[in-house]
Amino acid sequence: MTEPVSPAVRRLRRRVPLISGAAAIVLAALLGVLIVLRGGLVDIDEEWMQEILEVRGPIGETLALGMNYLGGGIIGVFVVPIGVAVILLLVKRPWASLFFVVASAASAGVVQILKHTFGRARPDEILVVSDFGSFPSGHTANAATIAVALGIIFPRVWVWIAGVAYTVLMLVSRTYLGAHWLTDTLGGVLVGAGVALVLWAPFANKLFDETHRHQTT
């Protein structure tokens, strides 16, 4: 029989992700402000881009283009979130499904707000067609949201490792294609992870109860 969770524990379960997630989003916004104050370029961005240009090749471009299609457009914005949500519903995780969809949509929304707020120009070396605004990276934010959300839904070490690996691959691929500066992708990680954590707060108790039920059945 499941032991009841005290109100204090339930409140803590909401506050920790809320505070840490909000802090991540604020840090992303502050990074955007710093970039604007620096005239749109940061030294590490130029150095990283020079390194990328030196290692560019057909194999790397092919892999990076695969990540480009996977993390954006119809596939990244609609197919993946809806597909994951449907799978979660099929395994009887309705709260997890709702949490994943809301987090994915909210992450995309915050990215667009920041893009239009800062209006940073993309690198001249870009190899793909992209929308307005370089900061933050929507592909990387989406990857980070997926990684954190699935790590919360399925609290297993291997899920977190896979999520981190996927996010890092997305980060590298975006700069490899010249679609983003390095700081764009770092901002994307902060936004994506931050939004998932903030939205974990209102879902925390439901997700915990749902996960515990599946572990005990």
Side-chain angles (χ1 to χ4, degrees), residues 77-139:
V77 177
F78 296 104
V79 176
V80 172
I82 293 175
V84 172
V86 170
I87 292 173
L88 289 170
L89 286 174
L90 292 176
V91 297
K92 299 180 180 179
R93 298 292 302 274
W95 284 107
S97 178
L98 180 61
F99 165 63
F100 189 86
V101 170
V102 172
S104 297
S107 176
V110 173
V111 164
Q112 290 303 314
I113 290 173
L114 293 180
K115 279 179 178 289
H116 286 80
T117 297
F118 296 111
R120 189 186 196 186
R122 294 180 184 272
D124 294 333
E125 298 83 358
I126 188 170
L127 299 179
V128 292
V129 177
S130 297
D131 61 0
F132 172 80
S134 187
F135 181 90
S137 166
H139 280 69

Side-chain angles (χ1 to χ4, degrees), residues 101-181:
V101 170
V102 172
S104 297
S107 176
V110 173
V111 164
Q112 290 303 314
I113 290 173
L114 293 180
K115 279 179 178 289
H116 286 80
T117 297
F118 296 111
R120 189 186 196 186
R122 294 180 184 272
D124 294 333
E125 298 83 358
I126 188 170
L127 299 179
V128 292
V129 177
S130 297
D131 61 0
F132 172 80
S134 187
F135 181 90
S137 166
H139 280 69
T140 311
N142 182 46
T145 300
I146 291 174
V148 174
L150 290 181
I152 291 169
I153 295 169
F154 302 106
R156 297 287 186 274
V157 173
W158 71 267
V159 176
W160 282 103
I161 293 175
V164 170
Y166 175 65
T167 303
V168 171
L169 284 173
M170 188 63 72
L171 180 156
V172 173
S173 72
R174 300 313 288 159
T175 56
Y176 192 93
L177 293 172
H180 289 284
W181 302 102

